[in-house]
């Protein structure tokens, strides 16, 4: 009788153990000191939003409540938000957004710069809403966050071109460490009332860098891609994620990726 009461009420030890097991099972990727999963439940999304709010306020950014509402109500078919956790605390997040009928979010500020990339041969996407607790989210966790967003964008959804709006003071990191190129000059982003520049790179370029440097922890490898996963682990994750999405019927692209053989070598 006592055991039954203990496991039937939230907040009791039995309930906490079940929640911990459920949390562990939800991670797409786990390391000794962090795990990464999709923020695909209201509770996880709220935790992500709390982190974004805290980090944006620290930097003096405006909080775009309309964008938050759109993200929470948006379909998983067009955007995937990832949550990095350490000791069950949300320490990082990033969203990969696929192209939509109304265009990319970055086109609000840089329509002419992105326009030449719109052709039948290209499939566009963007990374946005990146927030990190720097004291808790190290280089490896950041590298793995980027790598997982890449997996959703490229092997799963087969996008070709990646765009990202960043504060100019962060642009050097993306250009030197990840190989992005400056596409749009500095402007004021009204969503956060802060300066921004537009960066771009072909996802095939990122793929090549991951194949060359991913997970290669040797003194000669100064690339930030060394904090990504090795190619063999990426192939494994592509199969697992595509299978998961296909089973839940979230995405026809995922179903195709699940059925196809991964030929990246």
């Amino acid at each position: 009788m006592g055991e039954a009461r203990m496991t039937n009420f939230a907040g009791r030890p039995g309930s906490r153990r079940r929640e911990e097991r459920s949390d562990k099972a939800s991670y797409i990727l786990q390391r000794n000191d962090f795990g990464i999963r999709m923020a695909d439940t209201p509770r996880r999304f709220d935790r992500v939003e709390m982190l974004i709010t805290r980090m944006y306020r620290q930097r003096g950014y405006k909080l775009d409540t309309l964008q938050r509402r759109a993200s929470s109500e948006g379909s998983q078919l067009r955007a995937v938000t990832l949550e990095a956790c350490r000791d069950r605390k949300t320490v990082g997040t990033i969203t990969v957004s696929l192209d939509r009928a109304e265009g990319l979010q970055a086109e609000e500020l840089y329509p002419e710069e992105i326009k030449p990339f719109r052709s039948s041969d290209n499939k566009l996407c963007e990374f946005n809403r990146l927030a990190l607790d720097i004291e808790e989210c190290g280089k490896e966790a950041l590298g793995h966050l980027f790598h997982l967003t890449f997996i959703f964008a490229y092997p799963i959804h087969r996008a070709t071109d990646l765009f990202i709006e960043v504060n100019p003071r962060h642009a050097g990191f993306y250009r030197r460490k990840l190989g992005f190129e400056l596409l749009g000059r500095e402007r004021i982003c009204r969503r956060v009332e802060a300066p921004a520049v537009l960066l771009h790179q072909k996802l095939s370029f990122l793929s090549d860098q991951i194949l060359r440097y991913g997970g290669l922890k040797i003194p000669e490898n100064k690339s930030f891609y060394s904090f990504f996963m090795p190619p063999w682990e990426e192939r494994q994750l592509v199969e697992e994620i595509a299978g998961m999405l296909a089973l839940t019927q979230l995405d026809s692209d995922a179903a195709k990726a699940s059925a196809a053989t991964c030929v990246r070598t």
Side-chain angles (χ1 to χ4, degrees), residues 54-55 58-59 86 89 91 132-138:
R54 180 160 56 90
M55 294 297 103
Q58 285 182 9
R59 290 161 176 75
R86 182 179 182 185
K89 176 185 177 183
V91 298
L132 304 170
D133 185 333
I134 300 300
E135 295 182 358
E136 300 283 350
C137 190

Side-chain angles (χ1 to χ4, degrees), residues 76-101:
Q76 288 176 303
L77 300 180
R78 308 313 305 169
V80 174
T81 295
L82 296 177
E83 175 193 22
C85 300
R86 182 179 182 185
D87 297 328
R88 302 185 68 193
K89 176 185 177 183
T90 302
V91 298
T93 182
I94 189 171
T95 296
V96 53
S97 300
L98 303 177
D99 201 6
R100 304 165 297 173

Side-chain angles (χ1 to χ4, degrees), residues 216-231:
L216 190 59
K217 299 293 181 61
I218 58 174
E220 294 81 6
N221 186 7
K222 306 298 184 183
S223 169
F224 192 78
Y225 287 99
S226 67
F227 295 104
F228 284 45
M229 290 167 279

Side-chain angles (χ1 to χ4, degrees), residues 122-160:
N122 291 334
K123 188 173 181 180
L124 313 185
C125 71
E126 60 187 343
F127 290 177
N128 48 33
R129 296 173 64 74
L130 172 66
L132 304 170
D133 185 333
I134 300 300
E135 295 182 358
E136 300 283 350
C137 190
K139 290 181 179 180
E140 186 175 11
L142 176 58
H144 283 50
L145 262 179
F146 275 127
H147 198 160
L148 279 171
T149 51
F150 164 84
I151 286 175
F152 278 99
Y154 192 56
I156 299 294
H157 289 292
R158 304 179 184 183
T160 60

